[in-house]
Amino acid sequence: MMRRRSTLQNQDLTIEAIQEHNILHVPPQALHGRRRSSVAFSLDSNNAPNFLHRNSLRRNSLRAVQFSMSLRKQSVAKIELPKPKVENTYKLGPDQWGKFRQHQVENVIKNVFEVHLKDSQYDSEKSGSLACELSAEIKTRVKALEFKRYRIVVNVILGQNKEQGVEVSSRCLWDANTDNFTSYSYHNSSIFATGMVYGVYFE
């Protein structure tokens, strides 16, 4: 005897999994509503009612979700990743001529400060934006020196010059054989500035 199958509209994976057990009728609350039915029934090969409890429905739903996830993994696996345009160099450190050169970076900081701060007067409202502009220009010029595979970090401190004593310090965790830094301080009658540039080698 052929099994009778129910036809439900708006079928999803959960309903298809339930239909594999030949369920004749499932209340809408059992699938989509907040209130869920604890028992559903189907017909076995002898046309006798066979009751399916909520745990059975949950197991079928879990199987359907696992099947859907496996299909997604297969579709993702078929996506071809772009091939790298540059081969690996397998270098663990910079070349001798490509290391961070302190004297060149210090000249960059000095030139930027002398050009932008030569006739500047301290302004508490504009000092923040001015420090950002100076650090951005220093970073651009240091990158132009082409320290390959180096990450450049720039820090600029501005303040009002009232002949007070100021100490600036920093602490870093790095490789002393490849990483380095340089700093330069500038002041005029109204403003003082300290620029620090860190070069950290990136493997």
Side-chain angles (χ1 to χ4, degrees):
M1 180 182 295
M2 297 181 60
R3 297 181 180 179
R4 297 179 56 190
R5 292 181 177 273
S6 62
T7 57
L8 301 177
Q9 295 181 352
N10 300 326
Q11 295 178 348
D12 54 13
L13 292 176
T14 304
I15 298 177
E16 292 177 357
I18 297 173
Q19 286 182 342
E20 291 181 359
H21 289 77
N22 196 22
I23 294 177
L24 291 178
H25 175 70
V26 180
Q29 295 84 354
L31 297 176
H32 300 291
R34 292 184 179 177
R35 299 177 58 188
R36 295 180 178 271
S37 175
S38 60
V39 178
F41 66 92
S42 64
L43 294 180
D44 57 12
S45 59
N46 297 324
N47 202 23
N50 180 21
F51 289 91
L52 300 175
H53 292 275
R54 181 182 297 176
N55 292 336
S56 177
L57 296 178
R58 290 179 177 175
R59 286 195 297 269
N60 295 333
S61 302
L62 180 59
R63 292 174 183 173
V65 172
Q66 292 176 348
F67 176 73
S68 175
M69 293 177 63
S70 64
L71 291 179
R72 292 181 180 177
K73 290 181 179 179
Q74 292 178 3
S75 61
V76 172
K78 294 180 180 179
I79 299 176
E80 295 183 359
L81 298 177
K83 296 181 180 180
K85 297 181 180 179
V86 181
E87 295 183 357
N88 295 329
T89 60
Y90 302 102
K91 288 184 178 181
L92 299 179
D95 298 326
Q96 188 63 31
W97 54 268
K99 287 187 176 182
F100 187 85
R101 296 182 290 276
Q102 293 178 290
H103 63 282
Q104 291 185 349
V105 178
E106 183 178 352
N107 290 333
V108 169
I109 304 173
K110 179 180 178 180
N111 293 334
V112 172
F113 282 172
E114 290 179 349
V115 170
H116 292 275
L117 301 178
K118 184 177 181 180
D119 299 325
S120 297
Q121 297 294 320
Y122 179 77
D123 188 346
S124 59
E125 296 181 356
K126 298 180 180 180
S127 60
S129 59
L130 179 58
C132 293
E133 293 175 1
L134 293 175
S135 61
E137 184 171 350
I138 292 172
K139 186 175 182 179
T140 300
R141 294 193 181 187
V142 172
K143 283 187 174 182
L145 298 177
E146 296 184 353
F147 299 125
K148 293 184 178 180
R149 306 181 75 174
Y150 269 91
R151 295 292 180 87
I152 305 300
V153 181
V154 181
N155 187 15
V156 173
I157 299 175
L158 292 179
Q160 187 176 11
N161 185 11
K162 288 189 175 182
E163 298 182 358
Q164 74 276 27
V166 178
E167 293 184 0
V168 178
S169 62
S170 62
R171 178 179 295 179
C172 302
L173 179 63
W174 60 22
D175 186 353
N177 296 324
T178 59
D179 307 333
N180 212 329
F181 84 102
T182 187
S183 63
Y184 179 80
S185 296
Y186 174 87
H187 65 88
N188 58 20
S189 59
S190 177
I191 194 172
F192 74 88
T194 300
M196 295 170 287
V197 179
Y198 306 87
V200 182
Y201 184 76
F202 182 72
E203 294 182 358

